[in-house]
Amino acid sequence: MRKTTIILSFLMLSGLLQAQNNTPKRSGWKVTSFSVSMGFAGVYMTNTNSDYNNLKNSVEDPDLFIDPAGFSHDQFYSGAAGNGSFRISMGLTPYSKKHGKYRNNRELRFRVGSNIGIRHSFSFYQDESFPVDTFYSANGRPDIYADSVQYSGYGYDERFTDINFGISYLFKTDVQKRVFLYTGVGAEYGITLNYYVTVDQYEGSSVYYHDSNKPEDHYPYNYYYAGNGYTSSTNDTKMKTPAQFVRAFIPLGIDFRISNHNSFFKHVHLFTEFNPGVEFQILGGQTGVNPYFGVALMGLQYKFLVPKSLSNAYHNLKPPNS
């Protein structure tokens, strides 16, 4: 009896070891998609006096920056800025030991891309005027006044091209449907490659004719005027150091599979995606926090796996051998 038990135990142990050797090791993640997309992003900037001075101290030629205190019409205003974007992404699908299969409604996405755009913008304008002539009407019409106006203005745009790296984790609705939605969480880091400020300067003189009292503020453009001596120039000054961007966002997307039947196009998807979030811009020891809204106007994705309704291999995918 003891001998029989030992033999049975040995056979059972041998069977377990054989079964373990025949069981393929499971891979935690599998590359399942590649995609490209183009779009844009909008950013709400707070263009303050502190931002202006920080930008001035960060350029190679600060002499191009004027003292705004000398201008009667300065514009430290908050407003929209933005950039165009291009992304290349790779998606990985996780393997679930609990379910014994890859979870096609989850995706870990890595992406690399580039942005070209503008962040801070400032504008300053001033004019000086004095009367030069008065035309009196002989038929009872209002008199016409002529004023000579000397004006000048400056505009500053912070321009950049960056390279960025992102990661996001996506949760999808029913991927067996031809159209499905997804959301998740994401983050991105970028650093500028080409970074500079464009300075636009203009000045000139004009004669404004008006049939009432002199305007209280600067002269509106709907008054008839004759201009001369107008000059303008544009200069660029590079930044001393690159700027860094850190963005946190929530991906919100809609995905459309091109075909349910064609052997190639059932793998090809079109998608559009919104990325509302926040952007941190780090420059010269100062960090700006800006509301951020990215949009992938159009994306094209190729999936290696297809839904169960199109191929049983998608849900019943066997774990690969290592």
Side-chain angles (χ1 to χ4, degrees):
M1 182 67 180
R2 183 177 180 182
K3 183 177 180 181
T4 302
T5 302
I6 294 175
I7 293 175
L8 290 175
S9 299
F10 176 78
L11 292 175
M12 290 178 62
L13 180 61
S14 299
L16 289 173
L17 292 174
Q18 183 65 28
Q20 186 176 3
N21 290 333
N22 291 336
T23 301
K25 295 182 179 179
R26 295 174 173 84
S27 174
W29 299 89
K30 183 178 181 67
V31 177
T32 52
S33 69
F34 284 98
S35 63
V36 294
S37 63
M38 297 182 66
F40 66 92
V43 180
Y44 187 79
M45 305 296 297
T46 56
N47 298 312
T48 65
N49 183 59
S50 176
D51 294 325
Y52 179 80
N53 290 328
N54 186 51
L55 197 64
K56 177 180 179 179
N57 295 330
S58 301
V59 299
E60 294 181 352
D61 188 2
D63 291 338
L64 291 174
F65 282 66
I66 61 168
D67 180 5
F71 281 69
S72 56
H73 308 290
D74 59 79
Q75 296 185 16
F76 289 113
Y77 60 88
S78 299
N83 56 262
S85 61
F86 176 78
R87 302 283 189 273
I88 299 175
S89 304
M90 178 182 69
L92 289 80
T93 299
Y95 183 82
S96 172
K97 293 182 179 180
K98 179 179 179 180
H99 297 88
K101 61 182 180 182
Y102 287 92
R103 302 194 66 183
N104 58 352
N105 62 346
R106 302 285 189 272
E107 185 177 79
L108 179 64
R109 184 179 64 187
F110 296 94
R111 72 186 191 187
V112 60
S114 181
N115 295 320
I116 301 177
I118 296 176
R119 283 302 180 260
H120 291 100
S121 293
F122 303 93
S123 177
F124 308 99
Y125 171 84
Q126 69 174 358
D127 57 40
E128 295 182 88
S129 65
F130 53 90
V132 294
D133 209 345
T134 302
F135 301 91
Y136 297 99
S137 175
N139 55 9
R141 292 183 178 181
D143 298 334
I144 299 297
Y145 304 93
D147 292 344
S148 177
V149 180
Q150 306 289 327
Y151 59 87
S152 62
Y154 289 80
Y156 301 87
D157 291 322
E158 177 191 14
R159 300 177 180 271
F160 72 95
T161 300
D162 77 359
I163 184 172
N164 50 72
F165 307 89
I167 183 172
S168 54
Y169 192 76
L170 306 179
F171 303 87
K172 307 175 183 179
T173 58
D174 189 356
V175 297
Q176 296 197 60
K177 295 182 178 180
R178 192 166 185 179
V179 178
F180 62 87
L181 306 176
Y182 62 88
T183 185
V185 293
E188 184 177 85
Y189 170 79
I191 185 168
T192 56
L193 301 177
N194 188 24
Y195 191 28
Y196 61 98
V197 174
T198 297
V199 183
D200 294 311
Q201 178 186 0
Y202 62 91
E203 60 182 15
S205 60
S206 296
V207 178
Y208 282 79
Y209 298 91
H210 53 94
D211 57 4
S212 61
N213 292 327
K214 176 181 169 181
E216 295 180 0
D217 199 0
H218 66 86
Y219 287 77
Y221 296 108
N222 61 344
Y223 281 72
Y224 177 73
Y225 67 94
N228 60 77
Y230 178 85
T231 60
S232 64
S233 63
T234 299
N235 295 283
D236 294 335
T237 175
K238 293 184 178 181
M239 308 297 288
K240 297 177 182 176
T241 58
Q244 301 177 73
F245 298 96
V246 178
R247 304 178 182 102
F249 57 89
I250 299 175
L252 301 171
I254 180 170
D255 188 292
F256 172 75
R257 185 170 56 254
I258 292 180
S259 174
N260 283 338
H261 307 289
N262 183 277
S263 59
F264 175 77
F265 285 106
K266 68 183 179 181
H267 295 272
V268 180
H269 293 236
L270 295 176
F271 67 90
T272 185
E273 182 177 312
F274 305 91
N275 291 164
V278 62
E279 175 185 87
F280 301 89
Q281 180 181 354
I282 306 169
L283 172 63
Q286 182 171 315
T287 301
V289 182
N290 312 309
Y292 175 86
F293 189 81
V295 178
L297 285 178
M298 183 59 66
L300 185 67
Q301 184 178 64
Y302 185 88
K303 293 182 177 292
F304 300 111
L305 302 178
V306 295
K308 183 178 180 181
S309 57
L310 305 181
S311 172
N312 290 331
Y314 191 76
H315 273 279
N316 299 326
L317 181 69
K318 298 299 183 180
N321 293 324
S322 60

